[in-house]
Amino acid sequence: DTGVSQNPRHKITKRGQNVTFRCDPISEHNRLYWYRQTLGQGPEFLTYFQNEAQLEKSRLLSDRFSAERPKGSFSTLEIQRTEQGDSAMYLCASWLAGYNEQFFGPGTRLTVL
Amino acid sequence: KNEVEQSPQNLTAQEGVFITINCSYSVGISALHWLQQHPGGGIVSLFMLSSGKKKHGRLIATINIQEKHSSLHITASHPRDSAVYICAVYNTDKLIFGTGTRLQVFP
């Protein structure tokens, strides 16, 4: 257990539905990252927060994706109008600035039918 | 061409052998991570290094900054080492990942 939790662990949804995932980082960590991993590939960067500010978004993050970290603690990632191509593992990681090490959550596996 | 390349993609070994996984990168980095991912998805950090060599138990990681290359070595491999090993580099505050090396160690 790395101290980073993600919920739900698994989500099955029908195409066109909206889904929301939650990540609870290690409490004193000021940076929070979201990644997406498809089968057989390494994770890909989606976005990251420093405290409550979203500092960078990948071009992978279409306008159907939105992420928030309202109080600089937990974060949510919402996907609107899901598509089959959104099926993937969504990973969250937290990082204390000044330490070059990220701690990963267990991931949320999304299946879009 | 990917910014982080790993080789081999798949590796099968018998218990007890010495294993090497290689990682080459083409971008500037501040540090390099070796990560382990088991079936089910959980990722665990094995090493973070920016120069030289680190050792933890049967695992050794080396990096050559000038050649933009890192290696992960497993001595006396064991079936419980079976996992996907991922190299990731820190570039402008985010990680760029390789595609991973799937290792299977048989008794």
Side-chain angles (χ1 to χ4, degrees), chain B residues 60-102:
Chain B
I60 303 167
T62 63
I63 188 168
N64 185 318
I65 296 292
Q66 286 73 30
E67 294 186 4
K68 295 190 173 182
H69 181 269
S70 176
S71 294
L72 176 69
H73 306 287
I74 304 175
T75 62
S77 56
H78 191 276
R80 65 175 174 266
D81 297 327
S82 298
V84 176
Y85 292 83
I86 303 172
C87 170
V89 300
Y90 275 105
N91 174 267
T92 58
D93 288 339
K94 62 183 181 291
L95 284 173
I96 304 172
F97 297 80
T99 54
T101 295
R102 183 175 300 277

Side-chain angles (χ1 to χ4, degrees), chain A residues 5 16-18 25 27-28 36 39 43 48 57 89 94 98-100 102 107:
Chain A
S5 61
Q17 298 295 305
N18 299 342
S27 59
E28 63 269 26
R36 181 174 70 185
L39 203 61
Y48 87 97
K57 293 193 288 186
M89 175 76 85
S94 73
Y99 294 84
N100 266 348
Q102 296 193 11

Side-chain angles (χ1 to χ4, degrees), chain A residues 40, chain B residues 6-13 19-22 83-85 99-106:
Chain B
Q6 285 185 239
S7 63
Q9 288 188 303
N10 294 284
L11 185 54
T12 302
I19 287 166
T20 295
I21 299 170
N22 295 299
V84 176
Y85 292 83
T99 54
T101 295
R102 183 175 300 277
L103 171 65
Q104 290 185 299
V105 181
F106 291 97

